[in-house]
Amino acid sequence: MNEDTPNVFLAPYSPQSTENRIYDLWEKSGFFNPDTCIEKKVTKKSAPHFSVVLPPPNVTGTLHIGHAFEDTIQDIVIRYKRMQGIRTLWVPGTDHAAIATQSKVEKLIQKEEGKNRHDLGREEFLKRVEKFAQESHDTIVNQIKKMGASLDWSREAFTLDKKRNLGVRTAFKKMYDEGIIYRGFRIVNWDPKGQTTISDDEIIYVERKSILYTFKYSPDFPIAISTTRPETKVGDSAVAVHPDDPRYTQFIGKIFNVSDFAGEKLSIKIIADTEVDPEFGTGALGVTPAHSMIDWRIGERHSLPKIQVINEFAKMSVQSPLLADKKTIEAREIVATWLREKGLMIEEKEIEQNIATAERTGGIIEPLPKLQWFVDVNKEFTYQHEKLGPIKKGEIVTLKKLMLSVIEGKSEGKNYDKSITILPDQFEKIAKHWIENLRDWCISRQLWYGHQIPVWYGPKKQIYCGITPPTEEGWTQDPDVLDTWFSSSLWTFSTLGWPENTDDLKTYHPTTFLSPGYEILPLWVTRMIMMSTYLLGQIPFKTVYIHGMVRDKSGKKFSKSLNNGIDPIDMIDQFGADALRMALIVGVGPGADSKFDTAKVKAYKNFANKIWNISRFVLTNTNNWDGIKPSTITEEDQKYIDECALLVTDITTDMENYRFYLAAEKIYHYVWHTYADKILEEAKGKIASESAEIKISAQYTLFHILETSLRLLHPFMPFITEEIWIYLPHIPDKQLLMVSTWPHKT
RNA sequence: GCGCGAUUAGCUCAGUUGGUAGAGCACUUGAUUUACACUCAUGGGGUCGCAGGUUCGAGCCCUGCAUCGCGCACCA
C-alpha cells in the first residue's frame, strides 16, 4: 500500500465503490482480448484455444436473473482458462429476435400513438424498431458488464448487422442452390395475431376445456363424425375411416353431396386411411385438408381438394350468409346451433384439449395452406467437407443425418473424436430424440424486422437467389424476412468472420464451450449443429453445458403476469456482483433448476466482507515480513500449506470437469471455516510469539494461503479478489489478477 | 400414449468409483470492545419416497410401485 492509496482498506468492503472501477481497469488493460494477452505476453501464441460465444440476448428490453446465471457460468470458465495461460476468447453479441422485437415495438406504438405498423410504413417502422433495439442493446451491455463478464467487446456482433447479413445470404444461397431450401405451398402454423407464420418450435400448447361435437352433415349422410371445430367442417372434402373398421367398409369410395351444410355445399368422399384412429369418437374423421395438419397429409395421399374457409385474420372466408366474415369462434357456435336446430347434433361432450398458441404473441394458431420457404431436413446431398465423425467426404447425407452423426457419441458407445459432449448427459438423448423427429423448418416470416429473404422475382416471374440483387430493372425482392433462428444458427462462426476465412475462424472454431438453457436446446443448439456441420464440416462446439431455469423463492417461473421478476442490477446494487454470482452458482449443478432467494445473496455478501477482513488482517500482520520464504516452516504450518495444495488439486479437478457448483462451495468453505476460523485464529498467537522462527513461519503461511485463495476465488468473485490483489505485495512480475496464473496442481 | 428427471435435516440443496450420512439457512445455548456483529464457539435435528433384489457392505447398482415435475406425440 503506498501513500496515495485512499484508506478504503480500513473500512468494510463496499462493492458499490469498487466494482465499476475494477471493470474499467480490466477493460482498459485490454486483457479481455486474447490478441492483447499475446501482445503483452500473458498468453503464448502457441497456447491451445478456449472459445465461447455468448448466447446472444434478445434486444427486447432488459436482462433477467436467468441471464445473470448464464453469464456467470461462462465467465467462471473463461476466467479460469485465461488464468491457465490458455488463449481464451469470449465473444459478445445480441440477437435482433425478429418477431419478439417487432411485436414488442408494435405494442408500444399502438399504446402510445394508437397506430399500427402499416400506418407508419415499412421504412419508418423499421427506423423505430432499430432505435428501440439500439436502446435495449445499450441497457443489456451495461447489465452484462455489471456482472463482471470478461467478454472481448472489440469483437461484439449483432445477428442483424452487415457482416452477419452477408453470412445469412451466403448460407441461404448455398442451401437454395443445393435444393435444401425450397419454396412450397404447404400447411403452416399461422399466427393471426402476429400475422405471420411460425415454426413448430415457436408453438406453446395450452391446456383448455373444449367441446367435442358429434353430428352428421345431413339427415341422409350415413356416417357421424366428431370434431371440436365444427366451423371448419364447411371446408371438408372427405370422411376418412380406418380400412379395417367393419362399420364403414361398405361406404369406402362413395361420394355424398350435401346440398346445405350451414349454408355451404359439400362433396364428401369416403376414404380409407390408416392414420385414422378407430377408437376416437365415431371412428370416422371429417377431413378438412386446408385447416388441419393431419387432414392435409390425408388430403395429399388421396388427392382431395383443399378448400380454404378461414383467412389470415381467423375469419370465415365463405359465401354462406350465415358464416361469411365471422370470427372462427363465433362461427363455431353458429354451426353448432344450426346443427342442433336441424336435429343433426348427436352428442356434445366436454374434453381436455391442447390448444396451439404462438410463443411471442399468444395468438391461437390457425393451420393454413401458404406458399412459404422451408429447409428440407431430409433432402439428400453430397457431403463436401472432410471427414466428420462417421461421415466421409462424397457420402450422400441429409441434414438430419449430419446432425445425428455428431450427437451419437457416449450414449451409443461410439464416441467419435468430433462428437459433441452434452452435460448433463441425459440431454444428449433429448437432443437426439428431437433431431430424429425433425420436420421441415418453415423459415419465412411475414414480418418487417429481420433478414429479408435474398430472393428476387423477375418481370417474367423468374426466381433469382443471390448474395446481391440482380442488376437489371424490374425485379422485386421477396418481402418476407427469415426466422430469427436462421441467423442465430450461424452464430458460432458468423461471429468469427464467416464466410470470410478469417484468422479468428481458423483459430477459434469449433468453439470449445456453450452454456445455453435447456429451453433453447431445440430452437438454437441443434440448429447450430445443423448449420455448422453443413456449411463448415465442423461441429460448432465441443462441450454443451446445459443450465436450468432460475425460479423464484417458491419455485414459480419468473413472469410479467406474476410480477415476481428480479432485476439483477437491484441485487448488484444491494449486495454486489460477486455475491450475486456466488448465490447463483453454488450448489446448482448442470441442467438443474434453482430457486432464487435474496437471503442466499446476502450470505455471500457477508462472505465478501469476510474475505476483505481476512486480507486486512493478513496484510497488516505481515507488513514487517520481507516476503522471502523462510528456511524453516513449522510442522503445523507445513500441514496447512499441504492441505491448501490438496484443495488446489481438488478444485482444479472440479473445474476441469465443469463442476463449478462444487468448486465454488469448496473454496467458500475452506476460506471461511479452515483458513479464517482455524489457521488465522491460531496465527494470532504465533505472530505474538517470542520466537522469530515461529512468527515468520506463520506470516509466510498466512500470506501464501491468502494469495492462493485469491487466485482460486477469482473466477467466482472477480471484483473483490482483483481489488485485494492491488494491495498485495511480494508478487513477482505482478499483473492484474485476471491474467495471473492459476495455482498449479501438486 | 412414449420418454426423461426428481424424491436426502424444518427449508434450499450437495453427496464424483458402492466403503462411518454433509453444507448453507433456520433453530438451541453461550462468547466477545474484535481482522470481521456482514463475528465466533456450541448443540439438537435424517427409516436417504415405499417394497424387494444384488453385495462382505447400498443414498449410490437392479426390479417394481407411489408422488411431483418436464419433454415429445396425439389433440377428429
Side-chain angles (χ1 to χ4, degrees), chain A residues 81 110 165 223 236 253 258 368 370 376 412 497 567 586 648 681 739:
Chain A
K81 294 289 175 183
Q110 188 67 45
N165 182 252
I223 303 173
D236 281 14
V258 179
L368 287 182
K370 294 192 85 70
D376 187 341
E412 304 281 309
D567 182 354
V586 170
V648 168
E681 284 303 321
V739 289

Side-chain angles (χ1 to χ4, degrees), chain A residues 493-544:
Chain A
F493 47 94
S494 69
T495 49
L496 298 174
W498 188 88
E500 246 181 274
N501 192 18
T502 58
D503 286 343
D504 269 7
L505 191 64
K506 285 182 259 183
T507 309
Y508 297 110
H509 205 274
T511 63
T512 323
F513 181 84
L514 184 81
S515 178
Y518 54 71
E519 72 281 1
I520 53 171
L521 187 66
L523 285 164
W524 190 46
V525 177
T526 50
R527 285 187 184 138
M528 284 196 283
I529 296 170
M530 175 196 286
M531 291 300 199
S532 182
T533 51
Y534 170 68
L535 293 166
L536 274 73
Q538 292 179 1
I539 52 172
F541 26 69
K542 290 171 186 157
T543 299
V544 182

Side-chain angles (χ1 to χ4, degrees), chain A residues 200-213:
Chain A
D200 295 346
D201 313 292
E202 292 167 293
I203 290 177
I204 309 260
Y205 288 96
V206 184
E207 216 166 75
R208 249 181 239 179
K209 283 197 164 62
S210 50
I211 298 178
L212 183 67
Y213 300 94

Side-chain angles (χ1 to χ4, degrees), chain A residues 366-611:
Chain A
E366 194 62 63
L368 287 182
K370 294 192 85 70
L371 188 58
Q372 298 291 329
W373 291 94
F374 296 88
V375 170
D376 187 341
V377 294
N378 295 308
K379 164 86 185 177
E380 292 192 330
F381 61 94
T382 308
Y383 182 67
Q384 295 154 354
H385 305 281
E386 295 306 314
K387 197 174 178 312
L388 180 81
I391 308 274
K392 294 180 195 74
K393 189 173 183 174
E395 199 172 323
I396 303 295
V397 292
T398 61
L399 289 179
K400 213 183 245 192
K401 201 171 165 190
L402 271 184
M403 294 161 84
L404 285 172
S405 76
V406 294
I407 291 277
E408 279 176 339
K410 269 190 302 187
S411 71
E412 304 281 309
K414 291 178 188 163
N415 213 356
Y416 296 102
D417 57 339
K418 281 184 182 169
S419 59
I420 296 168
T421 302
I422 300 179
L423 298 172
D425 54 12
Q426 71 254 28
F427 281 100
E428 187 180 306
K429 281 182 219 157
I430 296 173
K432 242 188 93 175
H433 183 244
W434 189 85
I435 294 166
E436 278 161 358
N437 289 298
L438 260 188
R439 286 185 289 177
D440 287 4
W441 171 20
C442 176
I443 51 171
S444 45
R445 297 288 180 277
Q446 290 65 55
L447 306 169
W448 288 350
Y449 187 54
H451 292 279
Q452 201 169 342
I453 289 173
V455 167
W456 286 261
Y457 305 106
K460 293 169 195 159
K461 296 197 173 172
Q462 316 94 304
I463 293 183
Y464 166 84
C465 173
I467 291 168
T468 50
T471 43
E472 312 98 85
E473 295 280 304
W475 291 71
T476 47
Q477 189 171 2
D478 192 303
D480 287 358
V481 302
L482 288 166
D483 181 3
T484 187
W485 298 103
F486 192 91
S487 55
S488 8
S489 64
L490 311 174
W491 193 239
T492 60
F493 47 94
S494 69
T495 49
L496 298 174
W498 188 88
E500 246 181 274
N501 192 18
T502 58
D503 286 343
D504 269 7
L505 191 64
K506 285 182 259 183
T507 309
Y508 297 110
H509 205 274
T511 63
T512 323
F513 181 84
L514 184 81
S515 178
Y518 54 71
E519 72 281 1
I520 53 171
L521 187 66
L523 285 164
W524 190 46
V525 177
T526 50
R527 285 187 184 138
M528 284 196 283
I529 296 170
M530 175 196 286
M531 291 300 199
S532 182
T533 51
Y534 170 68
L535 293 166
L536 274 73
Q538 292 179 1
I539 52 172
F541 26 69
K542 290 171 186 157
T543 299
V544 182
Y545 180 101
I546 307 270
H547 65 77
M549 202 185 289
V550 183
R551 297 165 180 276
D552 78 0
K553 203 177 162 181
S554 54
K556 291 193 189 76
K557 279 187 189 178
F558 288 116
S559 74
K560 277 188 192 125
S561 53
L562 286 172
N563 199 24
N564 58 352
I566 286 179
D567 182 354
I569 299 300
D570 269 4
M571 289 295 118
I572 291 171
D573 287 345
Q574 279 184 67
F575 306 109
D578 289 329
L580 177 60
R581 291 166 65 114
M582 284 296 274
L584 288 167
I585 205 76
V586 170
V588 183
D593 285 353
S594 58
K595 293 177 190 174
F596 185 84
D597 188 349
T598 311
K600 197 173 172 190
V601 192
K602 187 160 180 270
Y604 288 106
K605 186 196 180 210
N606 295 352
F607 180 51
N609 194 53
K610 190 76 185 178
I611 298 168

